Amino acid sequence: MMGNAASGGGAGLGSGGGGPISTASSTQRKRQHYSSKPKKQTTTTATRPPRALLCLTLKNPIRRACISIVEWKPFEIIILMTIFANCVALAVYIPFPEDDSNATNSNLVS
């Protein structure tokens, strides 16, 4: 009995219906499945209303300047750095009773 199993007399993994599925065919089926799905087209430009604040049209120079500042990549970094600096200042500040202060608080106030 042990001789049969050791000599390869038993059913192997590759023979019969219970063998492993080839990874190439399953990968190909997955690719076909995902490629057949329609993909949504995303627009990179944001749609803006024709008027802002009831008076500023899209061609208004003030509105165009504000839009260009907000879309400027370093503007986002500046805002995040300002928030971080505010968090640090709030963490360093030590409130004292009756408007007492120390040197650190005086520097933060000024």
Side-chain angles (χ1 to χ4, degrees):
M1 193 151 117
M2 283 187 124
N4 286 343
S7 65
L13 291 176
S15 63
I21 300 172
S22 102
T23 57
S25 65
S26 66
T27 305
Q28 186 178 10
R29 271 190 270 125
K30 286 180 184 178
R31 285 184 186 155
Q32 288 174 352
H33 176 70
Y34 288 119
S35 66
S36 65
K37 287 185 180 180
K39 295 181 182 177
K40 292 182 180 178
Q41 295 292 329
T42 57
T43 58
T44 56
T45 59
T47 56
R48 291 183 173 68
R51 292 187 168 275
L53 300 175
L54 300 174
C55 63
L56 299 176
T57 63
L58 285 170
K59 294 182 179 180
N60 189 303
I62 295 171
R63 186 172 177 190
R64 285 192 314 196
C66 291
I67 289 171
S68 66
I69 289 171
V70 170
E71 289 180 347
W72 185 44
K73 185 63 177 173
F75 179 75
E76 182 179 340
I77 296 169
I78 291 169
I79 295 297
L80 290 174
M81 294 302 291
T82 304
I83 293 170
F84 179 73
N86 188 25
C87 291
V88 170
L90 287 172
V92 171
Y93 182 77
I94 303 169
F96 290 109
E98 298 181 19
D99 293 333
D100 287 341
S101 186
N102 63 5
T104 305
N105 290 349
S106 297
N107 290 337
L108 286 173
V109 169
S110 61

